């Protein structure tokens, strides 16, 4: 049996490394134009969320993992009749409330850095599907890249957004704050269960079961490191904005 408490310590250290990324750590001080540019680029990563989940679902063979991944993906489109906005529409609504105009949305294009991160994320998922332990690899990526670290980055972004998206004590965010909450790691790997409510915890319940069948946790650790690297590379493109703050 693997020491899940040790794995939690490893994972929590990665989470803190991401929280400490200079762009996320200084997000409240970014000029409006730089913050808007960041959100416009982050939108393209969010648009890639569903293709990444779809690709992983295509490659998964574990039925329990498939059911969890399918359920999470279907939540992105909460109404099959078209009466309720998708999560992506909720995102652009929040962006409009933050002062990003429709014309800015229309004019935005993914940078070369953003395109490279999206491409490499899809490649990471595709490569994971070719291994004997594909199910563990795929669910590890979905959980850490698509849920745990998303909650961390939106929590950081919320520090900047909260004054604009809170009115008379009422939270007006339909995307950033809800995803910060429902994607979060709320239980340790050692105590998580399928009864846990967040996306991260639901995936973690199956990941820990699959880990118990493996001789080593090396792949789990490696993939979480690579997922963190992808996330950090996206924010690296905005380091010049942070450097200008210190100038």
């Amino acid at each position: 049996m693997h020491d899940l408490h040790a794995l939690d310590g490893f994972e929590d250290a990665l989470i803190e490394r991401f929280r400490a990324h200079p762009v996320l750590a200084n997000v409240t001080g970014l000029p409006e134009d730089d913050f808007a540019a960041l959100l416009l680029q982050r939108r393209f990563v969010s648009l890639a969320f569903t293709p990444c989940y779809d690709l992983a679902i295509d490659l998964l063979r574990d039925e329990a993992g498939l059911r969890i991944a399918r359920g999470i993906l279907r939540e992105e489109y909460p109404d099959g009749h078209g009466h309720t906005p998708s999560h992506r529409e909720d995102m652009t609504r929040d962006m409009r409330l933050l002062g990003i105009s429709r014309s800015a949305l229309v004019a935005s294009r993914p940078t070369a850095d953003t395109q490279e991160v999206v491409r490499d994320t899809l490649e990471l998922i595709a490569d994971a599907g070719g291994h004997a332990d594909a199910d563990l690899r795929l669910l590890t990526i979905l959980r850490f890249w698509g849920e745990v670290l998303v909650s961390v980055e939106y929590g950081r972004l919320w520090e900047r957004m909260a004054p604009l998206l809170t009115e008379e004590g009422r939270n007006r965010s339909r995307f950033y704050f809800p995803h910060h909450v429902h994607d979060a790691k709320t239980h340790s790997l050692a105590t998580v269960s399928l009864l846990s409510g967040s996306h991260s915890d639901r995936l973690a319940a199956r990941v820990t079961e699959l880990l118990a069948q493996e001789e080593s946790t090396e792949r789990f650790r490696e993939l979480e490191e690579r997922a963190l690297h992808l996330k950090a590379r996206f924010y690296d493109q905005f380091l010049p904005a942070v450097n200008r703050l210190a100038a």
Side-chain angles (χ1 to χ4, degrees):
M1 179 66 70
H2 303 303
D3 184 350
L4 294 180
H5 294 290
L7 276 186
D8 266 313
F10 166 80
E11 184 172 86
D12 290 345
L14 294 184
I15 289 170
E16 288 308 309
R17 272 173 51 192
F18 188 43
R19 281 179 51 80
H21 188 285
V23 174
L24 292 174
N26 292 281
V27 72
T28 57
L30 292 180
E32 290 294 332
D33 287 349
D34 289 319
F35 186 59
L38 185 157
L39 293 184
L40 286 166
Q41 287 303 307
R42 184 59 184 76
R43 171 176 168 264
F44 290 110
V45 177
S46 188
L47 290 173
F49 176 87
T50 48
C52 286
Y53 253 78
D54 277 323
L55 176 58
I57 286 170
D58 282 347
L59 303 179
L60 278 165
R61 294 169 293 191
D62 177 64
E63 188 57 40
L66 274 168
R67 286 196 300 270
I68 297 168
R70 288 177 189 140
I72 292 171
L73 182 59
R74 279 159 176 72
E75 289 179 25
E76 298 296 307
Y77 304 96
D79 174 13
H81 301 286
H83 300 298
T84 305
S86 69
H87 285 187
R88 237 52 53 194
E89 293 172 85
D90 288 338
M91 174 179 57
T92 53
R93 171 197 172 273
D94 277 11
M95 291 172 70
R96 292 292 295 275
L97 291 176
L98 290 165
I100 297 174
S101 66
R102 182 181 182 278
S103 60
L105 204 68
V106 170
S108 66
R109 300 291 185 273
T111 63
D113 289 324
T114 299
Q115 289 177 323
E116 186 176 86
V117 166
V118 170
R119 184 187 67 238
D120 289 352
T121 303
L122 288 164
E123 176 60 32
L124 181 66
I125 294 169
D127 178 73
H131 295 267
D133 58 349
D135 294 321
L136 172 61
R137 290 172 182 251
L138 291 165
L139 294 177
T140 296
I141 294 167
L142 290 185
R143 174 179 171 270
F144 203 62
W145 168 85
E147 309 296 342
V148 174
L149 294 182
V150 169
S151 174
V152 172
E153 59 188 310
Y154 287 172
R156 276 301 205 191
L157 297 182
W158 183 248
E159 295 171 19
R160 170 66 175 265
M161 298 173 175
L164 294 171
L165 294 181
T166 306
E167 185 177 84
E168 297 179 351
R170 183 174 65 90
N171 188 329
R172 297 189 295 160
S173 173
R174 290 183 185 171
F175 180 79
Y176 294 104
F177 187 79
H179 278 73
H180 165 55
V181 172
H182 74 225
D183 292 348
K185 174 184 178 178
T186 63
H187 290 75
S188 71
L189 292 168
T191 62
V192 74
S193 77
L194 283 173
L195 298 178
S196 303
S198 77
H199 291 174
S200 296
D201 290 351
R202 283 154 58 187
L203 286 163
R206 187 55 183 156
V207 166
T208 55
E209 291 173 347
L210 293 173
L211 265 175
Q213 302 170 23
E214 299 294 322
E215 294 182 2
S216 168
T217 62
E218 181 181 352
R219 292 288 81 77
F220 174 87
R221 293 169 181 264
E222 175 195 341
L223 287 166
E224 288 206 338
E225 287 268 15
R226 292 177 68 182
L228 173 62
H229 182 62
L230 285 168
K231 289 287 187 180
R233 273 174 48 204
F234 170 80
Y235 285 99
D236 285 349
Q237 67 184 303
F238 301 102
L239 286 172
V242 175
N243 294 335
R244 288 195 294 273
L245 293 178

